């Protein structure tokens, strides 16, 4: 995951390089808006979503209010290349410039794989739009994908460590296993399994 900084105009006008990954990417953007400009903000967000959904690879978008001023916006594309095409497009540049006096850009994050699916925002209103916006997979599907990654990892580590760990205390065996398994699953196996089962997770 990578984070961008705001430009001199207060809005992020281009993509921040994320980890090279062949799979879906979710962009999370935090913007600050004066409470009295809520209706203008809703119209601006709707216009941006309407443009983004015309670009290839668009999977959905949504926004969440947090407090009186902070708006957390999400949009998702099926690949880095399609995301870049949207983020570098003249349409998006003009759309961002149109809100130069309306919004203050706070933060941008790029998320890969199923990262962020378990984050449930503490907020009273969630608004979604676009063809994929319904769309965080059901918890049982998330759990199934995690198990598919966890089982072979756990089995392989058991066999690999058994010649050396027979006399180790249980706590040490678990410590070593989790130290090896956690980065392997987070950065390699889970992103791969998520891409492999992407259509099933999205119900398509």
């Amino acid at each position: 995951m990578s984070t961008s900084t705001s430009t001199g105009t207060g809005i992020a006008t281009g993509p921040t390089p994320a980890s090279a990954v062949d799979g879906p990417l979710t962009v999370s953007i935090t913007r600050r808006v004066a409470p009295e400009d809520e209706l203008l903000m809703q119209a601006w967000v709707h216009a941006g979503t309407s443009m983004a959904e015309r670009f290839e690879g668009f999977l959905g978008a949504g926004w969440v209010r947090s407090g009186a001023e902070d708006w957390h916006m999400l949009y998702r594309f099926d690949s880095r290349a399609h995301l870049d095409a949207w983020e570098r497009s003249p349409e998006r540049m003009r759309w961002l410039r149109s809100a130069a006096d309306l919004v203050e850009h706070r933060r941008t994050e790029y998320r890969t794989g199923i990262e962020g699916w378990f984050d449930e925002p503490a907020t009273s209103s969630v608004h979604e739009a676009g063809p994929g916006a319904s769309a965080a997979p059901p918890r049982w599907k998330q759990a199934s994908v995690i198990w598919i990654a966890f089982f072979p990892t756990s089995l392989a580590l058991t066999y690999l460590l058994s010649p050396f760990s027979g006399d180790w205390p249980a706590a040490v065996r678990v410590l070593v296993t989790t130290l090896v398994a956690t980065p392997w699953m987070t950065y390699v196996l889970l992103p791969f399994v998520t891409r492999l089962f992407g259509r099933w997770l999205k119900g398509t």
Side-chain angles (χ1 to χ4, degrees):
M1 183 172 65
S2 66
T3 304
S4 77
T5 57
S6 59
T7 66
T9 61
I11 336 177
T13 56
T16 295
S19 302
V21 58
D22 183 18
L25 284 132
T26 299
V27 184
S28 173
I29 302 175
T30 301
R31 292 184 168 106
R32 180 157 291 178
V33 182
E36 62 269 22
D37 290 331
E38 178 178 351
L39 291 179
L40 289 173
M41 185 62 174
Q42 289 184 24
W44 183 71
V45 171
H46 178 72
T49 301
S50 297
M51 283 190 291
E53 64 188 9
R54 293 182 173 89
F55 281 72
E56 186 177 359
F58 178 75
L59 298 178
W63 57 267
V64 178
R65 289 288 300 277
S66 176
E69 297 183 342
D70 287 341
W71 294 57
H72 303 284
M73 302 174 182
L74 301 171
Y75 56 88
R76 187 168 174 83
F77 279 80
D78 63 0
S79 69
R80 177 78 254 184
H82 288 153
L83 172 62
D84 284 348
W86 158 245
E87 291 195 326
R88 294 169 178 164
S89 67
E91 294 91 338
R92 181 174 179 268
M93 296 299 104
R94 288 194 293 269
W95 174 69
L96 289 173
R97 286 195 295 269
S98 71
D101 298 325
L102 176 66
V103 303
E104 175 190 354
H105 181 269
R106 307 289 289 179
R107 185 178 64 178
T108 300
E109 293 180 351
Y110 293 78
R111 300 174 180 178
T112 60
I114 62 173
E115 180 186 353
W117 285 355
F118 302 108
D119 300 334
E120 296 185 357
T123 180
S124 58
S125 60
V126 178
H127 303 259
E128 297 177 337
S134 52
R139 287 300 177 94
W140 69 269
K141 286 190 175 183
Q142 297 179 31
S144 299
V145 168
I146 291 172
W147 181 85
I148 289 169
F150 177 77
F151 175 72
T153 299
S154 179
L155 186 64
L157 287 175
T158 298
Y159 278 108
L160 289 172
L161 293 177
S162 58
F164 316 103
S165 62
D167 297 328
W168 295 359
V172 175
R173 287 200 303 272
V174 172
L175 174 66
V176 172
T177 299
T178 54
L179 283 174
V180 175
T182 299
W184 163 254
M185 288 184 59
T186 301
Y187 296 107
V188 180
L189 195 53
L190 267 177
F192 170 76
V193 173
T194 301
R195 293 194 299 273
L196 186 65
F197 289 91
R199 291 179 63 85
W200 177 70
L201 282 166
K202 291 181 287 188
T204 59

